[in-house]
Each structure stands twice: as structure tokens, then as C-alpha cells.
Amino acid sequence: MTKDITLTIDGKEVSVPAGTLIPDAAKKIGIDIPVFCYHPKMEPVGMCRQCLVEIGRPAFDRTTGEAVLEEDGSPKINWGWKLETSCTNPVSEGMVVNTKSEKAVKGQNEMLEFQLLSHPLDCPVCDKGGECLLQDLTLAHGGTESRFNFDEKRHAEKKVALSDLIWLDRERCIQCGRCVRFQSEIVGEAVLGFEARGSHTQIMTTSEPGFDSAFSGNTTDICPVGALTTAQFRFGARPWEMEATASVCTECPVGCNTVLNTRRDVKTGGKVVVKRVMPRQNESVNETWICDKGRFTDFSADSRLTAPSIGWTDAIASAAQNLSAADEPIFVVDGSLPNEDLFNIKSLADEVGAKAYCYSEVGGGELTTKSGTYGKSGAGDAILVIGSDLYVDAPIFWLRAKQAVDRGATLIVATEEETRLDNFASTVVRDFAQGLEAAKEAFSKAENTVILYKGDDALAQSCADLNPTSLVGVWNDANTQGAWEMGYEAISDLDVLKGKTVYVAGKSALVASALEVAKFVVAQTAEDVQIAVSITEASGSKCVTLPSRNISESLGTFTSAERRVQLFHPAVPAEGDTLPGFVITAQVAEKMGVTLDIEAEDIFANFFDLSYADLSKTNPEEKLLIGGNCYENTQGVGVQL
Amino acid sequence: MLVELLRGLKTTFKMMLDKPVTIQYPEQKREVRPRYRGKHELKRYDNGLEKCIGCALCAAACPADAIFVEAGENTDEVRFSPGDRYASTYEINLLRCIYCGYCEDACPTGAIELEHEYDINFSSRLDAIADKDKMLVSLANDLSTPQETKPGTFTRSIPDMENPADY
């Protein structure tokens, strides 16, 4: 426990832990010190000089060590000659900070004039315009006129592709180095750097291919100007025109909190579409970051089926009739479905006495349901990553493993191929047995132990035998963990479906594989089913397709691999006549004489001792850790099971 | 009584000889004041390129939410405006518009101007939506967009504004 230190900022007293920097202490009592280069999650560098303040420290008598007092008995304060950068100064006892004195404000205003010295002021066409820190601070601290010559602005190429995803505008850059530091400090991949000096300083990428990192999109969020922007969102919309809806990323089982920015779009015929995906803060999951896989998720599905080809009434009737007529109907799902869909399908299966399987290539579901928290590991903890290249499978888990190492955790990597995590691991082996052996030894000395595995049942079992504090499966889908919690049986090949009547729900790939073997398939999917339909015709098997809504269109919950249940909201209107998955199941069930709930919230209450209101609780204190355009979490951080 | 009658008719005859204040609209049209705010026009530069850069600041300023803008990116092969960005869609709902002229004020390039046309009428609600085709001016020299331009001619993200007084 660090000691609290009391200081005075603008006449207000505040107590903060030792080591806190002045901008953070000020933010705590609602005083905003203007910053560009400072970011609460990174080491300060004092590069932009924007956060100039007056700092006074109490005077001490050098011979006695006693505090010197003024005549009126108050402590004597020594004021420095010059303004100091607040971001590089940790708080000290009795410190007095003036952020709004005439001298400090003059310093801040003049620094801002320097920032604008060579800025092109092309705000009308800049993708950052409207959510730009430089715009905000210019409004607060900028003068109406610059004393510098407009004609002598530095010119550079306007559009430099750092990678396929990220574009750099060197004119707009104010050399704060946030992106460079993010890559080297937080991600540990120093692929960005500064080149040249003085007014010619510019950002460049040192990797081949350019900006080779799975977290590159985050630099566009923390860039305080429009220097780094994404190619995907280029001229997509002005930030103020978009709606923001809380969602959860579905690309991997980490369950990063996101916000879907939506807007009406002419190019898609006037539909409301997802324009971009932004991170939403959740300090227990993704902090303020998301990976590029999640950020650049493509929500457009042009060839999607938007209504059953034979109409809803007939489709539901046909599905119910075929399922009722079958001797042993089988229900198969995958982890792409939300908990509500999974529950209704499981309920229906239970009612008709059928088997309910969840398709997963990764085994060990029954083991992870006991302990699935990953949490924030640090000194004294040990982590084993076995069988998974986290950088590809679950990038935010990768980032957290790397940061755990930074905090002093022991990391053991056991994978068949080389991975990017090897550089941070204390032990790297290319053999699972050796990995487990090494982990056994490390775990005997560690306090908290975490295993992240990806493999079959046998691997899961041998991981569980090590008795870790947390056993986390790196599933292929976002909600596979949710299916295990619900009691689905695992299945890794679809041979059991041979000649059977099957209710399949999930990705189109699963539907396609089921069609190859099953006698009759009731397919519930939100994906493109063109492939599936062409296979039906080829194989001569029969199929009825029930198009469901996707994540951006529906309300529901996901359970992450760490067993955190999180809520997502509908961001765009449903496409065509699609229905929520749980409603489709309920309608089929009704025809079969089984009554199921049709409201997401009611269904949720059936299987968790929780409500949506519990999932919507937030932690307002955390927003002090946001630096950049990451959304504050106002819609709920979810619940850890 | 006759005197009263003649006194009244005097005014009548006097007004008969006066120049009438009314005009025969729509055969005749009155000249409006220079600052009259009529139907919008989207302006072009002399080289035919559109002044609009698709920044949507007009839409942001519009108190009636009558403007919808969607932006696209120029290339040297297909160029609409001098900078990086142009309006691929620009629509004003003339039924919603209150002709306040805030869009003019918000425009950083002087692309939109409320001109003098005031007999604005439509036969359907859809007709009331003025798109780029209806609002872009045609130049005397017949230059239009899109144009193919020489690489390196337009390298700035926004057009250089040589004389700010023009805008």
C-alpha cells in the first residue's frame, strides 16, 4: 500500500497515492490540465510541453530539516523561476500547483500556438475533426490569430500508408510520440519511430511489412490529432453524425467491449450501417484497447438470406414437422450464438429429449467452467500458454500476458510453432509435455497460476491436473464458454449427424458441414448461406433455412473465455425479415408443443442468477484512465461468474 | 352628398393614374435584393471543379436538419474537387429548409450559396429533395466534373485559398 500524499491544486486540496503525476491528481478533482503527449497508461516524456503549470514546493531549513514558515505561520512555498511540465512531476507532500494563474495560462496558450505552427488546419476534411484533442485545446487555449507566417508551413505528402490499415499525414503530426510509445511500451513491438530532427521530425515505420502489429488501430485512437487515421474509416462520416451503441466483439473469446458507430449510408441504399468499431473501456477485459481483428470487423453481408425462401410460416412449420417426425433429432450449435439463443435451443432439446451438442475443435469445456478467470496477473504469478498463438487467436489475451510479464509474472510458452509471445517468456518450449513440466515447477513457487490452452480434451485434462487458479480455454468462437456453462456436450466432428434430422444453429460453415452428412437440416444462421444452399442442391439432402439476426442487430449476452457475462445492444435495424435466434427457436418450439420465452431479458433470467441491470453496472472512476478516443463505459462492464 | 362622392372618387382616379405596386406574377418577376436567400447553388471554380469538399459542416450547422452529405475520395483519374475529399452525395430537403443561410456561413470553401431563385415548387415529396444535379451550377465554359487531372496538380487535402476574401 503506497502512502497518500496531499497537495493543493488551484486552491483545492487533494490526496492521491505517492507517485501519481500532477495531471492525474488534477483530473481527480475535476481540473483539466491540457496535455497532448501525456497518456495515463504510459510513461510521461514531456515532449509537447503543453501541460505547463506553476509548481511551488514547501521550503525546508537545510540545517534543521524543519519546514520554513511565513510570518503568519503558513508554510513558506518556494516557487520555481519557470513553468514546469506537470506530466513529468510526481506529486509531493505540501506541493502547491497553479494551473490557471496568469503565468501558467500564458505558457499554455503560447505552447498551443507552437503546436499550430505548422499544422495544416484542414479540419473540414480530416477524419479526426470533431473528436480531435488539438481542436478542443485550440478552442480552450488558442488565440484568434497566429503570429507565425502562414506561408511558411511545412508541407509533406498528405497520405502515407504506414500499412494497409493505417494512414499517416505528416503535416498534421505534432510529434507527441504517443503512437511510438504505445507500440514500444504497451505492445512491446517497437515498429514505429521518429525520423530526422527539428521541424523535419516525422513518424516512420521500421518494420517490413509496414506497421506490423495487431494493435495498430489503437494508435489512431490515442493520436491527439488526425495524423494517424484508419484506411477503413477514410471519409466515412463526421464523428458527430454517428450513433454509438455498446457491443461486444465477436472475433475471439476475449469479449472486448466495443462501441459500434452507425450512420445512414447512401452507398448501401440508405440503410443504417456500422461505420466503425471503437473500443469501450473495461479495465478487467480490454482496458482501453482493441485489436485490429476486432476493429476492422466487416459487418456487411450482402449475400445474406433475409427471409426464408418459402416464407416464415411455412419454414417454421416445416422445421417443426421434420423435427417432430424424426426418431432422434439432434441439436448442434457453435459458439457464435449469444447465450439467449443457446438457452432456448438447449431448452427445446431437453423438452423433446434430444441431444444438444456444441461444435468446438478445442476441448475441455467441462473443466473451464469451474475456474475461468484470467484477471490481472503480476509479480509472483505464473502463466502457461499452451497450444495457442495468442497473437492470432486472442490478441488482447496476448497483450495482457505481455503486460503481466512487465509487472513481474513468469510466463511459459509451449507451442509447436514460434510465436510473438516467445520474446517475453521466461521459458519457451516446442513440446507440450515439456511445457507442462516447466509449468509444474513454476506453479509450485507461484501465487496465482493461469493456464491458457488450446487443444483437445487430453491437453485440457493435463492442464487441469496442474491445478491452476484459472484455466482458460482459447476457443475459436466468442461464446463457446457460454455453451459449456449451459451444459452443452462437446463435439469435434459431425459424424454423429449421419442420416439424422438436425437443428443446426451458428456459422454458415457449420451449416455447410452438417448438410454434407445429415438427412434433414433446420439451419438457423445469420451468415451468408449461399454456399450452404448450393451444397444442399448438390447433395440432394433437404434443408430449411431460418435466417436470424446478427450481433449488430440484436440484444443479448456473451460469456467470454474468462467467464465474464457481457451485454450487447442492437446497433442497426434488422436486415429484411430476419428474427432473433431465440424467437425462431421459440416459434419452432411452439409448433412442437413447447413454450419458450421470447424476450431476451426473460430468457437470461432463466439461466443466470442475474439480470441485465446487473450487467449494466459501471465503474465511473475508471474513466480517468482514458486518454484518447476510447469510449467511456457507460453501458456496463458485465459480471464475472 | 355629391361633394363627398366626388371626394372619394378623387382618390380612386388618382390611384388609377399611379404606377401600380403589384406585378403580373408569374409572367412578370420582381428583381430581388442582392442578399436575398433563395434556392441553394453549389458553386464551381473556373476550372470546373466543385468547390464543395464534402465536410458536412453545413449539415452540422443546419437547424432544420435538412442537409445530408456523404463524402468520397478524389483520385487524379476521377476528380470532382481540388482536394482529397468531395461530396459523393449532397442532398437538401427543400421542404425542411428554412432558408436561414447558416450553411453558407458554415461552408469553409464558399461552395454553397443561397441564390435568388424563389419559385420553388414540387409535385411530390421526393422532388423536394435537391441533389447535386439540381444544385450544381453550370459554367459558361462548360467545364464540368468528374475530370481527369495531371498527377501532382492537386496535392493538398483542402484547396489552397489564395484570396480568403473570395469566400
Side-chain angles (χ1 to χ4, degrees), chain A residues 120-127 154-159 167 169 171-172 234-238 240-241 263-268 275, chain B residues 53-57 59-61 67-75 83-86 88-89 91 108 155-161:
Chain A
L121 294 177
D122 51 0
C123 309
V125 298
C126 176
D127 279 334
R154 170 183 57 132
H155 282 321
E157 202 186 328
K158 288 302 291 180
K159 212 173 81 180
W167 281 354
D169 186 326
E171 286 184 357
R172 292 181 190 151
R234 176 95 168 157
F235 301 158
R238 304 318 302 267
W240 61 81
E241 296 173 336
R263 182 191 189 246
R264 195 170 291 284
D265 186 75
V266 172
K267 290 172 197 101
T268 54
K275 282 283 185 184
Chain B
I53 52 173
C55 70
L57 289 178
I67 309 181
F68 180 89
V69 186
E70 208 166 288
E73 189 165 11
N74 285 314
T75 57
D84 277 348
R85 180 170 174 147
Y86 75 100
S88 55
T89 304
E91 287 172 357
T155 54
R156 313 305 308 148
S157 56
I158 43 173
D160 280 331
M161 284 176 256

Side-chain angles (χ1 to χ4, degrees), chain B residues 44-45 47-51 79-82 145 147 154:
Chain B
R44 292 181 191 272
Y45 294 101
N47 59 8
L49 290 176
E50 296 162 17
K51 284 188 176 179
R79 180 169 291 284
F80 290 85
S81 70
T145 43
Q147 297 180 3
F154 299 101

Side-chain angles (χ1 to χ4, degrees), chain A residues 69-389:
Chain A
L69 300 180
E70 297 278 10
E71 277 169 19
D72 61 358
S74 61
K76 183 176 156 52
I77 303 292
N78 280 341
W79 293 94
W81 280 99
K82 293 179 178 176
L83 296 172
E84 296 179 57
T85 48
S86 56
C87 75
T88 51
N89 274 293
V91 295
S92 61
E93 196 61 50
M95 187 184 252
V96 182
V97 180
N98 282 342
T99 73
K100 297 205 169 57
S101 66
E102 201 183 325
K103 192 175 166 188
V105 169
K106 190 158 180 272
Q108 292 163 7
N109 291 358
E110 285 172 1
M111 277 324 298
L112 197 108
E113 205 173 333
F114 281 134
Q115 311 291 2
L116 292 172
L117 189 108
S118 212
H119 194 78
L121 294 177
D122 51 0
C123 309
V125 298
C126 176
D127 279 334
K128 201 80 170 195
E131 53 182 15
C132 169
L133 194 56
L134 184 59
Q135 277 187 330
D136 294 349
L137 294 185
T138 303
L139 205 62
H141 297 275
T144 46
E145 268 175 25
S146 172
R147 286 173 286 175
F148 296 99
N149 192 343
F150 202 76
D151 298 334
E152 287 169 9
K153 290 205 173 195
R154 170 183 57 132
H155 282 321
E157 202 186 328
K158 288 302 291 180
K159 212 173 81 180
V160 181
L162 285 182
S163 69
D164 293 344
L165 305 171
I166 309 294
W167 281 354
L168 168 68
D169 186 326
R170 289 171 170 162
E171 286 184 357
R172 292 181 190 151
C173 179
I174 58 164
Q175 288 94 37
C176 69
R178 270 189 184 182
C179 52
V180 176
R181 288 181 292 139
F182 171 77
Q183 284 303 131
S184 56
E185 279 179 33
I186 292 186
V187 183
E189 296 177 314
V191 294
L192 291 184
F194 281 118
E195 182 174 56
R197 309 196 64 164
S199 66
H200 299 286
T201 314
Q202 55 187 22
I203 300 287
M204 47 117 191
T205 170
T206 51
S207 67
E208 188 58 52
F211 208 166
D212 183 20
S213 170
F215 304 96
S216 63
N218 292 307
T219 59
T220 65
D221 289 342
I222 56 174
C223 181
V225 292
L228 292 169
T229 49
T230 65
Q232 183 219 34
F233 187 61
R234 176 95 168 157
F235 301 158
R238 304 318 302 267
W240 61 81
E241 296 173 336
M242 295 184 291
E243 300 284 334
T245 311
S247 191
V248 177
C249 183
T250 57
E251 292 295 304
C252 76
V254 178
C256 291
N257 290 205
T258 58
V259 157
L260 302 182
N261 277 147
T262 54
R263 182 191 189 246
R264 195 170 291 284
D265 186 75
V266 172
K267 290 172 197 101
T268 54
K271 281 193 286 197
V272 175
V273 295
V274 177
K275 282 283 185 184
R276 64 173 179 181
V277 181
M278 292 289 281
R280 180 164 56 104
Q281 187 183 31
N282 190 336
E283 290 298 318
S284 319
V285 181
N286 53 314
E287 299 189 22
T288 59
W289 322 118
I290 52 172
C291 71
D292 289 350
K293 196 162 66 160
R295 185 182 297 266
F296 302 118
T297 307
D298 186 9
F299 281 93
S300 65
D302 296 335
S303 48
R304 207 176 129 190
L305 196 66
T306 53
S309 46
I310 50 172
W312 271 114
T313 323
D314 289 352
I316 296 280
S318 156
Q321 194 189 347
N322 277 289
L323 286 170
S324 306
D327 291 340
E328 272 181 73
I330 296 181
F331 291 73
V332 183
V333 298
D334 65 19
S336 68
L337 298 179
N339 285 325
E340 288 70 12
D341 292 17
L342 290 176
F343 181 78
N344 263 8
I345 292 172
K346 184 78 170 56
S347 309
L348 178 58
D350 289 348
E351 286 289 338
V352 300
K355 286 262 186 205
Y357 292 112
C358 175
Y359 176 77
S360 171
E361 283 156 14
V362 184
E366 66 287 351
L367 301 166
T368 56
T369 49
K370 291 178 193 117
S371 64
T373 59
Y374 176 5
K376 230 177 193 160
S377 308
D381 300 341
I383 304 173
L384 167 67
V385 177
I386 187 160
S388 166
D389 182 358

Side-chain angles (χ1 to χ4, degrees), chain A residues 313-522:
Chain A
T313 323
D314 289 352
I316 296 280
S318 156
Q321 194 189 347
N322 277 289
L323 286 170
S324 306
D327 291 340
E328 272 181 73
I330 296 181
F331 291 73
V332 183
V333 298
D334 65 19
S336 68
L337 298 179
N339 285 325
E340 288 70 12
D341 292 17
L342 290 176
F343 181 78
N344 263 8
I345 292 172
K346 184 78 170 56
S347 309
L348 178 58
D350 289 348
E351 286 289 338
V352 300
K355 286 262 186 205
Y357 292 112
C358 175
Y359 176 77
S360 171
E361 283 156 14
V362 184
E366 66 287 351
L367 301 166
T368 56
T369 49
K370 291 178 193 117
S371 64
T373 59
Y374 176 5
K376 230 177 193 160
S377 308
D381 300 341
I383 304 173
L384 167 67
V385 177
I386 187 160
S388 166
D389 182 358
L390 287 184
Y391 199 78
V392 180
D393 296 332
I396 292 293
F397 277 170
W398 182 94
L399 190 63
R400 280 163 57 183
K402 184 258 162 191
Q403 287 180 333
V405 173
D406 289 348
R407 286 189 291 263
T410 313
L411 176 67
I412 300 150
V413 174
T415 49
E416 280 160 354
E417 307 282 324
E418 257 181 50
T419 71
R420 295 204 190 196
L421 205 54
D422 295 358
N423 306 333
F424 304 101
S426 52
T427 314
V428 179
V429 288
R430 291 282 162 260
D431 178 70
F432 292 171
Q434 281 175 27
L436 291 164
E437 203 57 43
K440 199 169 189 176
E441 202 196 316
F443 282 10
S444 63
K445 288 175 259 169
E447 202 175 320
N448 280 309
T449 53
V450 181
I451 298 179
L452 293 136
Y453 78 93
K454 185 180 186 182
D456 52 16
D457 286 328
L459 180 69
Q461 190 56 55
S462 34
C463 288
D465 290 343
L466 291 177
N467 226 353
T469 327
S470 319
L471 179 65
V472 179
V474 184
W475 320 111
N476 285 327
D477 292 319
N479 198 29
T480 312
Q481 185 66 40
W484 307 142
E485 306 284 339
M486 216 87 70
Y488 276 88
E489 261 181 65
I491 183 177
S492 57
D493 71 73
L494 298 174
D495 277 350
V496 289
L497 308 183
K498 207 160 204 150
K500 295 278 166 59
T501 298
V502 196
Y503 189 120
V504 185
K507 293 183 172 173
S508 57
L510 179 73
V511 174
S513 336
L515 276 168
E516 281 174 18
V517 289
K519 190 177 89 184
F520 188 90
V521 172
V522 176

Side-chain angles (χ1 to χ4, degrees), chain A residues 529-543:
Chain A
V529 287
Q530 300 303 322
I531 321 155
V533 170
S534 62
I535 290 172
T536 332
E537 283 157 9
S539 65
S541 122
K542 284 183 184 168
C543 167

